Amino acid sequence: FLAVYCLLFTLWTWCEAQSDSGTPVIQLRLAGEKRKHYEGRVEVFYNGEWGTVCDDDFSFSAAQVVCRELGFIDAESWSPSAKYGKGEGRIWLDNVHCSGGEKSLAQCESNGFGVSDCKHSEDVGVVCTQKRIPGFKFIRTQGNGEEGVNVQVEDVRIRATYSQRKRIPITEGFLEVKDGGKWRQICNRDWTEMNSRVICGMYGFPGEKRFNTRPYKLLATRRKKNYWGFSVNCTGNEADLSDCKLGHEIELKGNSTCQEGMPVVISCIPGRAFAPSVSTGFRKAYRIEQPLVRLRGGAMIGEGRVEVLKNGEWGTVCDDNWNIRAATVVCRELGFGSAKEALTGARMGQGIGPVHMNEVECSGFEKSLTECYFNRDALGCSHEEDAAVKCNVPAMGFHNRLRLSGGRNPYEGRVEVLAERNGSLVWGTVCSESWGTMEAMVVCKQLGLGFASHAFQETWYWQGDSSADNVVMSGVRCSGTELTLDQCLHHGKHIDCPKGGGRFAAGVSCTQTAPDLVLSSQVVEQTSYLEDRPMYALQCAQEERCLSSSADKADSTSYRRLFRFSSQIHNNGQSDFRPRAGHQSWIWHECHRHFHSMEVFTHYDLLSLNGTKVAEGHKASFCLEDTHCDEGIQKRYECANFGAQGITVGCWDTYRHDIDCQWIDITDVLPGDYIFQVVINPNYEVAESDYTNNIMKCRCRYDGHRIWTYNCHIGENRNTQLIHLQH
C-alpha cells in the first residue's frame, strides 16, 4: 500500500512515495562505461535526483539486494573504486549494511540518505546474473529531465506469424516484452527505425528492413491486444533494449490503447552466412569475398581478434579507446548483430604483423570499421593490446542437432547427430574414419563449447545412448570454416564405414582456450645459408629420414648440399602448446639419443614457382621447450632429464640452424627461383585457435653456389589486393 504524497503536475513529476514501514521508495539503475546491460555503476534515484553508492562496507549481500531489486535472479560479483567510471551528483548511500534478504537497498542499514564522506572515485559497481526473475514487476517512475530510466523488462522476443515459424532464423514478427510475468506488445505510434535497429542487433542481425504491414494489420485486428504501458527511446547504438531509455507512459484503455496504431512489428536482414532456410538442412558454409575486416582466434561463431587489411597486409587494432560502438560496427560489417562485448588486452590471443589502427572512434553507423576515425600512428601499441569482439549471432538452433554422450563432463563425449532416416529424425553416431582435429573443431564450435582439444577415433570407453549406436554420418571432412557438421563434406545418405561405428564412433573433447603457434619469418630470413656436409657426418639424420631419397644410394665420401635455417616458434595463444602424446608413448631415437614427442612437428618444402614440390624436409619434435619467454613470464618446459615438453603462452622454442634435420636437402635441385615453405603442426595433431598462421612462405633464389631468402610472410597475412585505409 503506497500512500503517495504528490501533486501530479505532469507525467514527469517524481512522487516521493513512502511505504507503510516508512522506507523511502527508490529506483535503481546500472550505468557506466564498457559494460554489459547486467553490470555497471549502481545509481539510485531519490528525492528527484540520481546519485551513487559509496563502496565503504559494501558487501556481496548488498550486491544481491541491488540485483534482485533490478529484476535479476542474483548477483555474480561487485567492484569498488569506480570500476565503471565516476558518477555525478550526490552520493546517496554510504556504509551500507545488508543481510541479503531485503526487498530494497533502501531497507538496508546505512548512514542515511545523503550522509557520506566519500568521493565519486569510490562509487560501487555490481555484476548481476543475466537471468531475470520470472514474473518480476518493475517499479517505474521517471527520473528528472531527459535522462530517464533504462528499459527494464523480464524478456524480449520476436513472435513470428504461423507462416514464418518454420524458418530458421526467425527474422520477422511482432515484438513482445515480458513484464510482470505476461507477454505484451508495444504500441507503434512512437516507434522508430533506431528502435528496430537495436532489436535486430540483439538478435544477431546487422540491420532492419521494410516489410508488408497489411497481413500484420489484419492479424492485429483479430488478436486480443495486451499493450505494455510505455514507449521506448533508442539512439540506434545500444547493444541491448535494456540500454535504451524508457519513453513516456501510455494510458492503457483496453482495445483503444493504441489508437491510429498497431503493435510493433520487427523485420531484420540476416547476415549472408545465416540466410533463412526451412529447418531441414542448412546451406553450405558461406565464404566472404575479400573482406576488409576479419575475426581470428575466437572459439565461438561471431567472436575473435579484429584484423584489418591495409596495403595488402593484415594487421590488428590497438585497444586504446576500444568500445562497444566500434565493436558493433565490426560485428554488423561481418553480418552479425550488435556487439555483446568489446574486449581489450589481447583476450583472443595476440596477432602478428603491423598494428594498423589505434584510438578508433566510430559514430556507430559506419558501414565498415575502416570508415571510422582512427590515429594512424599506433605508437607504443604492442600485440598485447590487440582488440577483439564478441558479437550477437542469430539463434540457428545449431546446438540442437548434435550432442556429446557418455563423457565424464559436458565438454567431452561420443559425437551423436540428429539425422533424417525414413522420414523421421533419429540420433546416431559418426564414423571415425578420417575423423581428426578439424572435424572436432567444428563440433565444439557448433555446440558453443570452444575449441577442440582432442579428436577421438575410438570411443568404446564412453557409454553413449545405446539407441543412438547406428552410424548415420560418414566420410566427414571439414575445412574449419563451417558453422555445422552438416556443412562439411560427407557421404550423405549412403553411409560407408568399413570398421563400423560402436567402439570406432567419433568423439571429441572441447576446451575454452587453445594455443596458437606462429613462426618468426624474420629469424628464418636472417639465418638461412648453404652447407655442404659429408655423408659420414649425416648417418643419424639419414636414419631419421631427414635427407632426400637419393642419399640412400650415395657414397659415404660424397657430400649433401643442405639449405639450413633456424626456426623460432612463438605461442601467441591463450593456453600452453603440449604434444598430444603422453610421456609413455614418446619414441626414443637411439642414434640422436633423444625422445620424439610428435612424429611430425614441421614440414619444410622447396616448391617451384607454380607450386610443385622439388625438395622436402621434415622435423619431428624431439624437444619442445621454452627457449626464451617474454618479460615477466616463467619458463615451464625443459627437455633435459626427460622433462615435460611444451611451449608456454608468451614463450618461444628455437631450433637452431646448426642442429640435425633443421634443413632441406637440395643436392638434386637445379639453380633457379623457388618458394620456400614451412608448415608447423601440419597434421593438426594439436588443436590451435588459428591454423591460418601456421604456414610461412618465402621467395628463394639459388644460383648453384649461394641461396637468398627474401620476402617471407606468414599465412594469408599478405594479400595481392592493395587496399588503403582512409580516415
Side-chain angles (χ1 to χ4, degrees), residues 561-581:
R561 178 156 286 185
L562 306 175
F563 167 30
R564 307 193 75 137
F565 49 88
S566 296
S567 295
Q568 185 178 306
I569 294 162
H570 294 243
N571 182 358
N572 284 356
Q574 295 169 282
S575 59
D576 295 355
F577 185 94
R578 301 293 309 274
R580 185 176 167 185

Side-chain angles (χ1 to χ4, degrees), residues 484-524:
T484 66
L485 205 58
D486 294 5
Q487 291 177 348
C488 299
L489 290 171
H490 58 93
H491 288 152
K493 291 196 170 129
H494 307 290
I495 304 300
D496 178 24
C497 191
K499 283 187 186 165
R503 58 176 293 187
F504 294 110
V508 300
S509 65
C510 307
T511 173
Q512 289 293 309
T513 57
D516 181 22
L517 295 189
V518 184
L519 184 73
S520 166
S521 52
Q522 207 178 349
V523 170
V524 171

Side-chain angles (χ1 to χ4, degrees), residues 300-322:
M300 314 294 178
I301 299 166
E303 65 178 50
R305 178 178 61 251
V306 180
E307 297 191 349
V308 182
L309 186 63
K310 178 185 176 187
N311 298 342
E313 190 170 11
W314 287 98
T316 61
V317 177
C318 188
D319 64 12
D320 295 352
N321 299 354
W322 187 247

